[in-house]
Amino acid sequence: MATAPVAGRVWVEGVATAPVAGRVWVAGVPVDAVTGAEVVRRVGEALEAGRGGRIVTPNLDICRAAAADPALRELVCTADLVVADGMPLVWAARLLGTPLPERVTGADLIWTLSALAARHGWPVYLLGGGPPGVAERAAAALRRRCPGLRVCGTHAPPYGFDATPEGAAVVRGRVVAARPRLVFVGLGFPRQDVLIAALREELPQAWFLGCGAAIAFAAGTATRAPAWAGRAGLEWAFRLAAEPGRLARRYLADGLPFAARLLAGCLASRLRLSWRLGFPPRLSPASWLTLPSWFRLPGWFRLPGWLRFASWRGRGLPPGR
């Protein structure tokens, strides 16, 4: 299935380019350069106009899967909104010179979008989240935080429900019958996004958020990492400590090498672009540690202390560069 061009996307193959209309490519996927508040505003405007859509929140694991499978990559690329759920994507965008304003997570959007739905009286549906009862607990927590929220349904599909067309059709039928305007789907990538893509055709006026563990976080059945860990890009370590058996391979064997390759590749692309533009002059390897003040990478290169290279701090490119 061919992917139709999407207005505002920057098609990048390994090099940094200027963003177009607020969307840039990082780690092989397009990411909207928006804040969480802007996501809520866009969804609200679309719902008021009777338009639906779907939101994908890629992290490193999703990017790694998309890089290996063209069908999954297309599933991400054709979403109406794509927001960076992982700090490494934010860092990579800064390295490329196409910064994202902030990390926008599904675990945050489930609250802010529920507040939006409560203000407008739009019904919400919660699908997934774990064992039976989790979605109901999450719905109760959302109602307490967002008075007036209408939850028109919850459902925890059995494991392997999508192994047959009939099983998937039953789950879709329950959602369609409830006629929600907002649907939170916490089944993990790619299962949740494949299901959402099918539901979009049956509920064209609804918005869908593939939110992974956000429903379990809202229910309190899973513990979210502290805010400081998320800002430092260490939420994966918190989750690994909580579920080592399930997450060790994902984070240690697959995630860390992918992150290292991603950040190193983005840095190399940025430096190649600088050389291509004739800036800076060629320097010996030893001189990288004592770069003159005029060769400081721009201000978007503000990474955590443990990821800073040499003494680079942003002061912008020199005049005329």
Side-chain angles (χ1 to χ4, degrees):
M1 182 171 61
T3 303
V6 178
R9 291 192 174 172
V10 183
W11 299 87
V12 179
E13 293 295 338
V15 298
T17 64
V20 176
R23 185 166 268 191
V24 300
W25 272 65
V26 183
V29 300
V31 181
D32 288 283
V34 294
T35 64
E38 289 170 327
V39 171
V40 173
R41 178 182 59 78
R42 289 192 189 186
V43 172
E45 290 174 352
L47 285 170
E48 287 182 327
R51 300 191 307 271
R54 62 187 180 94
I55 305 171
V56 176
T57 59
N59 54 19
L60 277 182
D61 196 48
I62 290 176
C63 290
R64 184 176 56 81
D69 188 329
L72 299 185
R73 184 164 59 251
E74 183 174 354
L75 198 59
V76 176
C77 293
T78 54
D80 299 275
L81 277 171
V82 182
V83 293
D85 194 308
M87 278 305 297
L89 301 187
V90 177
W91 297 333
R94 290 175 185 169
L95 284 171
L96 288 171
T98 55
L100 300 170
E102 65 181 24
R103 178 188 182 214
V104 182
T105 70
D108 291 325
L109 288 175
I110 193 172
W111 297 100
T112 54
L113 290 175
S114 291
L116 173 73
R119 290 195 299 271
H120 291 270
W122 293 322
V124 170
Y125 195 101
L126 278 71
L127 181 62
V134 173
E136 288 78 4
R137 291 179 61 176
L142 291 171
R143 287 194 192 99
R144 287 193 298 271
R145 178 83 67 87
C146 309
L149 179 66
R150 293 171 53 201
V151 178
C152 61
T154 61
H155 181 46
Y159 182 78
F161 74 92
D162 53 350
T164 63
E166 295 77 15
V170 169
V171 173
R172 292 200 311 273
R174 292 185 61 155
V175 179
V176 172
R179 308 306 296 176
R181 298 300 306 281
L182 271 170
V183 185
F184 302 128
V185 187
L187 297 170
F189 184 87
R191 178 174 284 114
Q192 65 190 17
D193 299 276
V194 171
L195 180 61
I196 286 171
L199 282 168
R200 276 284 289 124
E201 299 180 6
E202 300 179 83
L203 291 171
Q205 294 183 327
W207 271 83
F208 298 82
L209 170 66
C211 56
I215 293 176
F217 290 152
T221 57
T223 303
R224 190 180 180 189
W228 66 263
R231 289 192 299 269
L234 295 174
E235 188 167 346
W236 65 271
F238 185 90
R239 294 192 64 189
L240 177 61
E243 301 179 83
R246 186 173 74 89
L247 298 177
R249 177 177 178 81
R250 179 195 298 184
Y251 289 149
L252 299 180
D254 298 327
L256 284 180
F258 184 83
R261 291 194 301 270
L262 170 65
L263 295 173
C266 290
L267 178 60
S269 294
R270 176 64 178 174
L271 294 178
R272 282 197 301 269
L273 181 61
S274 296
W275 255 279
R276 200 173 299 136
L277 296 174
F279 166 74
R282 295 188 179 277
L283 301 171
S284 65
S287 65
W288 285 99
L289 297 178
T290 56
L291 292 174
S293 58
W294 53 266
F295 182 58
R296 290 176 180 166
L297 289 180
W300 40 259
F301 191 70
R302 294 190 181 95
L303 302 178
W306 53 274
L307 272 179
R308 288 177 185 160
F309 294 86
S311 61
W312 294 338
R313 291 188 295 272
R315 291 296 182 86
L317 294 175
R321 297 294 184 180

